[in-house]
Amino acid sequence: MIKYLFNFILLIAIIVFASCNSTPKSTDTYFGGKIINPKSNFVVLFSMDKVIDTMYLEKDNRFIGKLNTINEGLYYFVHGDENQYIYLEPQDSLMLRLNTWDFDESIVFAGKGAERNNILIDCFLEEEKDNKMFYQLNKLEPKAFYLKIDSLISLKKQTYQKYILNHPNETKGFNHILKIALTYPFYARIERYPMAHVKQSKKNDFHTMPPLFYRHRKLVNTNNDSLMYYPPYTKYVRNFLYNTTYSLGHKPMTHEYSSDFTIDLLKTINNNIQSETSKNAFLKQTVIGHFFKKSSCAANKDAFNAYFDISTSKKDKEHVKQLLSDSKALHKGQKITDFIINDLNEGKHSIKNLTKNKNSFLFFWNPEYVSPNYIASRINYLSNKFPTIQFIQIKIDGNSSHRIHKIDIKNQFFITSKSSANNFLRSKMPRSILINKKGIITNGFASISSKKLPLELKKLSK
């Protein structure tokens, strides 16, 4: 990542700000900066899933937040529908500059705490670049793959040693996070390799791996709640859990997971994740994720029963029950029941009238589970591929300001809490419904991200 300096005014502001507000005994921490081409008028700072502060942009698109008491560690900020992680320590004065048109690549930090955050963002960007390289590496046989990745891990460890040598005053906490940011993405790729190799080499079964292939597992702790939301850590744990489950004798799966695999994966999570918070999170993510991958109303009852037996979170289990209740409404072969949706000009429309004599794809969305950027990309792709189908996006609990950019505004709607559509959206989770020209449902619970969806749309368009 090419580093560039803040504009002169911002640097002066940081220096003056820090000098005017710092005292030897103060533990105040500052986080702020400037957003170019802002997507909203605020920035939200999180610690895990808890909001720490909401900072509003001034007229010049700058923001500043004063944090009276914080613990050292990882935080993340959200602006628009994107986010990025930062590492804060008490008394930091961390300032950033970013352009939302090139969010991650444009981020640069200044002020106290900048060096550690600049290297973390570099780690993130390097990992993104590695995706193309590993597409080719995954085609290699196990020994060749391991030799290559082992040399790459050695280079990352050299980067780590060089940084801590040049920054002797860094805390143990940050050094630990830096090591994770540098090495866990590669450990995750080792765990992912068996599945990726089968897919890219078009084989029918997994290799038997060399004895040292998973020696990194002795160095990894899969029971750290404070890292549960940190992508390098979470991706590693997830890949490890899937790989461990496949090693029980399951064959490679692509379009959807069998009920037996899901049950074994839930048991693997239960056996390997000691932390109750992390365990419940992975359990819920698994059972819901596999349901959406199936992309139909049919639920694997045994898998859901196994989930309810293992999870100890009453809140999570209630949410999953709501999802199951949703899936029992609007089945394939039924006529679509009428409900009202609002366009972004506050006009009201009957869904029956809107879809009359038209093959239609209704996508109900919630930004808590799917980003507007992803929706725009996916809908544009599908609508170009299937031009005879009407694609309608409906925001759950929305209003007239909830527009997805880069999608035709005429196809964007929302429902309020009073709409009868909420009878099949109790979980507030995304849901796609396919309807033919006769108003008959051909799929009552499709998933916009499922690999099975294009085939179903192809059938609908005939």
Side-chain angles (χ1 to χ4, degrees):
M1 174 184 176
I2 299 175
K3 295 289 186 291
Y4 54 91
L5 296 177
F6 279 2
N7 59 62
F8 181 75
I9 296 175
L10 182 56
L11 280 174
I12 292 298
I14 293 168
I15 295 169
V16 172
F17 181 81
S19 63
C20 290
N21 290 277
S22 297
T23 64
K25 295 182 180 180
S26 174
T27 59
D28 291 342
T29 304
Y30 296 92
F31 173 58
K34 182 172 183 176
I35 310 289
I36 299 172
N37 300 310
K39 294 293 181 67
S40 69
N41 67 341
F42 59 90
V43 174
V44 184
L45 183 67
F46 286 83
S47 174
M48 295 186 70
D49 60 341
K50 296 180 179 179
V51 175
I52 301 301
D53 195 9
T54 300
M55 297 153 282
Y56 291 90
L57 303 187
E58 303 293 340
K59 292 181 179 180
D60 56 1
N61 294 333
R62 290 191 176 92
F63 69 95
I64 188 71
K66 179 181 178 182
L67 312 170
N68 295 322
T69 55
I70 67 160
N71 295 319
E72 175 189 346
L74 279 170
Y75 296 78
Y76 67 94
F77 66 91
V78 175
H79 177 72
D81 57 2
E82 298 197 70
N83 69 81
Q84 190 51 261
Y85 278 78
I86 57 175
Y87 193 93
L88 289 176
E89 296 179 11
Q91 298 181 301
D92 275 354
S93 297
L94 184 66
M95 301 291 147
L96 66 81
R97 183 178 188 268
L98 71 83
N99 188 330
T100 63
W101 289 355
D102 204 11
F103 196 95
D104 298 314
E105 290 79 359
S106 71
I107 294 176
V108 63
F109 295 97
K112 187 178 179 184
E115 282 193 89
R116 72 176 82 99
N117 284 288
N118 280 325
I119 192 171
L120 285 183
I121 195 69
D122 281 349
C123 290
F124 171 83
L125 294 173
E126 285 297 320
E127 204 263 329
E128 292 282 296
K129 292 178 184 177
D130 287 342
N131 286 333
K132 291 183 180 179
M133 175 179 66
F134 273 91
Y135 181 80
Q136 297 300 324
L137 292 183
N138 286 329
K139 296 178 182 179
L140 298 174
E141 293 300 295
K143 289 184 179 179
F145 172 84
Y146 190 80
L147 287 173
K148 181 62 177 178
I149 201 167
D150 193 47
S151 66
L152 292 171
I153 291 172
S154 295
L155 291 175
K156 294 298 181 181
K157 288 180 177 178
Q158 290 175 25
T159 299
Y160 172 76
Q161 292 297 336
K162 182 178 179 181
Y163 183 87
I164 63 172
L165 183 65
N166 292 330
H167 300 82
N169 295 323
E170 284 288 11
T171 65
K172 290 182 179 180
F174 176 74
N175 288 342
H176 178 60
I177 293 299
L178 178 58
K179 184 175 285 188
I180 288 173
L182 287 165
T183 59
Y184 273 46
F186 290 92
Y187 298 155
R189 292 180 190 279
I190 294 173
E191 297 289 349
R192 174 66 182 163
Y193 167 78
M195 291 81 83
H197 179 70
V198 163
K199 179 181 178 181
Q200 291 178 219
S201 60
K202 297 181 179 179
K203 295 180 179 179
N204 296 319
D205 212 341
F206 299 116
H207 276 291
T208 299
M209 298 303 160
L212 296 178
F213 202 79
Y214 298 118
R215 64 179 180 179
H216 63 272
R217 290 178 179 176
K218 295 180 180 179
L219 308 173
V220 172
N221 174 18
T222 58
N223 289 285
N224 193 327
D225 276 351
S226 66
L227 296 177
M228 188 172 65
Y229 291 86
Y230 190 45
Y233 173 82
T234 304
K235 187 179 293 185
Y236 170 78
V237 175
R238 185 184 300 114
N239 288 356
F240 162 74
L241 293 169
Y242 273 82
N243 194 19
T244 301
T245 305
Y246 270 119
S247 71
L248 298 176
H250 294 282
K251 297 294 183 181
M253 300 174 207
T254 53
H255 294 308
E256 64 179 273
Y257 296 105
S258 69
S259 180
D260 288 343
F261 180 87
T262 302
I263 292 170
D264 279 346
L265 178 54
L266 295 172
K267 292 178 180 178
T268 299
I269 295 169
N270 190 42
N271 294 334
N272 287 274
I273 307 297
Q274 297 171 4
S275 160
E276 187 174 23
T277 301
S278 293
K279 179 184 294 188
N280 286 332
F282 278 110
L283 289 170
K284 182 183 178 185
Q285 182 185 64
T286 296
V287 75
I288 289 180
H290 287 199
F291 172 73
F292 273 92
K293 196 173 181 71
K294 192 174 179 67
S295 193
S296 76
C297 293
N300 291 326
K301 293 182 180 179
D302 291 341
F304 277 99
N305 287 336
Y307 165 76
F308 290 126
D309 287 341
I310 297 173
S311 176
T312 59
S313 171
K314 292 182 179 180
K315 180 180 178 182
D316 286 354
K317 288 194 281 191
E318 184 58 36
H319 190 209
V320 172
K321 287 177 182 177
Q322 288 175 335
L323 177 63
L324 287 175
S325 176
D326 290 344
S327 71
K328 294 176 182 178
L330 304 184
H331 279 276
K332 179 179 179 180
Q334 291 180 341
K335 275 204 167 188
I336 186 69
T337 57
D338 204 14
F339 55 88
I340 299 299
I341 60 176
N342 299 52
D343 63 36
L344 299 191
N345 291 317
E346 298 289 359
K348 294 185 178 182
H349 304 265
S350 157
I351 200 66
K352 280 192 173 182
N353 291 339
L354 203 62
T355 59
K356 187 176 181 180
N357 299 323
K358 295 179 182 178
N359 291 323
S360 302
F361 176 89
L362 310 182
F363 178 57
F364 298 88
W365 65 281
N366 181 342
E368 186 175 348
Y369 303 106
V370 59
S371 74
N373 280 346
Y374 177 78
I375 297 171
S377 174
R378 188 69 168 151
I379 291 296
N380 284 329
Y381 167 76
L382 293 172
S383 59
N384 287 332
K385 191 173 180 66
F386 303 101
T388 62
I389 296 176
Q390 174 183 224
F391 287 83
I392 297 174
Q393 299 82 56
I394 306 167
K395 170 77 164 54
I396 301 171
D397 293 339
N399 60 55
S400 58
S401 67
H402 291 161
R403 179 186 177 184
I404 302 174
H405 295 284
K406 299 181 181 178
I407 298 183
D408 192 342
I409 194 171
K410 291 183 294 184
N411 294 326
Q412 296 189 52
F413 301 84
F414 66 92
I415 56 171
T416 67
S417 59
K418 297 179 180 180
S419 173
S420 59
N422 289 290
N423 293 332
F424 55 84
L425 296 167
R426 291 185 177 92
S427 67
K428 306 297 183 183
M429 297 200 73
R431 177 174 190 167
S432 302
I433 299 174
L434 280 63
I435 307 169
N436 66 20
K437 293 178 180 179
K438 297 179 181 179
I440 305 298
I441 296 170
T442 62
N443 189 331
F445 210 124
S447 170
I448 192 174
S449 60
S450 173
K451 294 179 180 179
K452 298 167 66 177
L453 181 60
L455 181 59
E456 296 208 33
L457 291 173
K458 184 177 180 180
K459 292 178 181 178
L460 179 64
S461 63
K462 291 180 179 180

